[in-house]
């Protein structure tokens, strides 16, 4: 009898063991994760959250209907939020709502849901979820809820209210939000004073990339001015500074000279750094965008070859771009004025310059040269139309007068469909054949990766359009 009673008592304690073996450890790891977040150790925080989720999963797998299930779901929701898995986090938060009426756990679920709504770009919904948390009995939950509620106000276009809400919170937690709110209110002097205090702290965990992006969101000029300010004070250095300069160059794309100056500045900060290699490639792309004549492609090809001889993802991208550039040059070399199939080769070169090299000025000139050097080409009107799309220019003689019987013009009038299809099919087959060939990539050193397998042979010859020679290269 005594043994039976002892066995029954042991069975009754098993759920308690599950709590201490799993739920206790899940909560302990969650507390460690929150502490790591407060102390600016994000990598450790994520590790702790991952472990906490495993412990909570273990408890739920063994005792899915226990009185600790809602607590386990709350830990999983917080962990998923910290690991940037908002879909799962919101699903777990929903399980908390269905498993308990305990206020403390429901508040934790609401914090997760509000944070995810913020990330999804729904600040009004987030604010409705977060504002009640400012009355929570849990001091940490109350502070985080108020902080996120203030962020929701700012993102909803209410920066003055956001700034007022932030004033009662710890400055370290809210410094970037206060900086953004001051910027939204155009309180430039206050924002600059706060910015300088942040620079003076030399806090390596501060996300200057986010600060610059926020400033540039208001205007590219503001982003550039802020970057100069940070560079002068050595607040951003090394690869962070190089990445910031490359991003600024991208934002200044409408002003090629200024964008080029930024890229040159980035390269000067570290010629072999990964970010600097990206700056070099961006500079070559910028040069391609400004190319007007084919002769200017040669030095860019040499530069791409030099970059492609290095190691890393950027050099691989340089090799790929150099290969396309090689195809363009090969087609141009094979298409002197009046050459058989030269109009097709020139058209393909222009298409590659437009679509792959992103060289619109060069592409427009090449398209126009198709009509100039092969005036009787059936593709001349198509080339002229393509050039007009790039540069908006007009030609001295209207297309309708010069090419009245051309299938492309007939197609615009709703006739000549079959002839149009034949021309398009011939052009497409020719383009496939020449662009799947393997030109020699411009490379200064030995190959760093295996050569790609040769592509399949171009499709066999088809009957060309009437009055047109075959179009195989």
């Amino acid at each position: 009898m005594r043994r039976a009673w002892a066995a029954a008592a042991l069975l009754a304690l098993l759920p308690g063991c599950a709590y201490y073996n799993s739920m206790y450890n899940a909560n302990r790891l969650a507390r460690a994760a929150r502490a790591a977040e407060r102390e600016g150790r994000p990598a450790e925080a994520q590790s702790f959250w991952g472990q906490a989720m495993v412990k909570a999963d273990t408890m739920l797998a063994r005792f899915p209907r226990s009185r600790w299930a809602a607590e386990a779901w709350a830990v999983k929701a917080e962990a998923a939020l910290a690991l940037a898995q908002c879909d799962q986090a919101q699903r777990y938060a929903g399980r908390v709502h269905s498993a308990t009426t305990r206020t403390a756990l429901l508040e934790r679920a609401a914090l997760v849901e509000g944070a995810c709504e913020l990330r999804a770009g729904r600040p009004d919904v987030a604010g409705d979820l977060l504002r009640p948390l400012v009355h929570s009995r849990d001091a940490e939950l109350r502070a985080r809820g108020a902080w996120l509620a203030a962020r929701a106000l700012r993102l909803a276009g209410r920066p003055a209210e956001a700034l007022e809400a932030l004033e009662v919170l710890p400055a370290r937690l809210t410094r970037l939000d206060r900086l953004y709110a001051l910027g939204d209110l155009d309180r430039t002097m206050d924002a600059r004073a706060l910015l300088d205090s942040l620079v003076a702290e030399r806090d390596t965990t501060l996300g200057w990339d986010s600060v610059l992006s926020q400033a540039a969101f208001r205007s590219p000029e503001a982003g550039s001015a802020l970057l100069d300010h940070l560079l002068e004070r050595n607040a951003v250095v090394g690869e962070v500074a190089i990445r910031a300069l490359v991003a600024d160059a991208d934002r200044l794309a409408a002003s090629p000279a200024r964008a080029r100056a930024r890229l040159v500045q980035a390269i000067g900060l570290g010629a072999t750094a990964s970010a600097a290699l990206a700056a070099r490639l961006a500079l070559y792309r910028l040069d391609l965008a400004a190319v007007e004549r084919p002769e200017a492609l040669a030095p860019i090809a040499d530069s791409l070859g030099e970059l492609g001889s290095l190691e890393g993802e950027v050099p691989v991208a340089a090799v790929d771009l150099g290969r396309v550039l090689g195809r363009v040059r090969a087609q141009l070399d094979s298409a002197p004025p009046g050459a058989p199939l030269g109009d097709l080769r020139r058209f393909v070169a222009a298409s590659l310059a437009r679509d792959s090299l992103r060289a619109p000025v060069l592409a427009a000139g090449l398209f126009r040269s198709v009509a100039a050097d092969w005036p009787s080409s059936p593709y001349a009107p198509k080339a002229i139309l393509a050039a007009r799309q790039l540069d908006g220019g007009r030609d001295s003689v209207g297309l309708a007068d010069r090419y009245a019987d051309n299938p492309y013009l007939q197609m615009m009038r709703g006739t000549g469909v079959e002839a149009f299809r034949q021309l398009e099919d011939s052009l497409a087959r020719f383009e496939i054949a020449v662009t799947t060939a393997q030109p020699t990539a411009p490379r200064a050193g030995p190959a760093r990766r295996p050569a790609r397998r040769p592509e399949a042979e171009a499709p066999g010859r088809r009957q060309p359009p009437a009055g047109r020679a075959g179009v195989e290269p």
Side-chain angles (χ1 to χ4, degrees), residues 256-302:
R258 295 180 61 194
R260 195 177 205 287
R262 280 307 203 198
L263 293 173
V264 171
Q265 189 178 359
I267 295 168
L269 292 181
T272 60
S274 176
L277 296 183
R280 287 176 62 183
L281 183 58
L283 182 62
Y284 302 150
R285 290 186 182 277
L286 193 64
D287 289 342
L288 281 171
V291 165
E292 297 181 3
R293 301 183 61 80
E295 295 80 8
L297 295 175
I300 300 176
D302 293 340

Side-chain angles (χ1 to χ4, degrees), residues 1 6 77 79 81 115 126 144 167 179 184 276 333 357 364 398 418 450 468:
M1 182 70 178
L81 171 66
R144 285 180 60 83
E167 292 299 332
L179 181 64
D184 291 342
D333 290 343
L357 295 184
E418 184 56 34
R468 175 69 172 164

Side-chain angles (χ1 to χ4, degrees), residues 433-456:
V434 299
T435 57
T436 54
Q438 292 291 314
T440 302
R443 197 170 187 117
R448 297 288 183 175
R449 63 176 183 174
R452 295 179 178 174
R453 289 176 53 191
E455 302 288 347

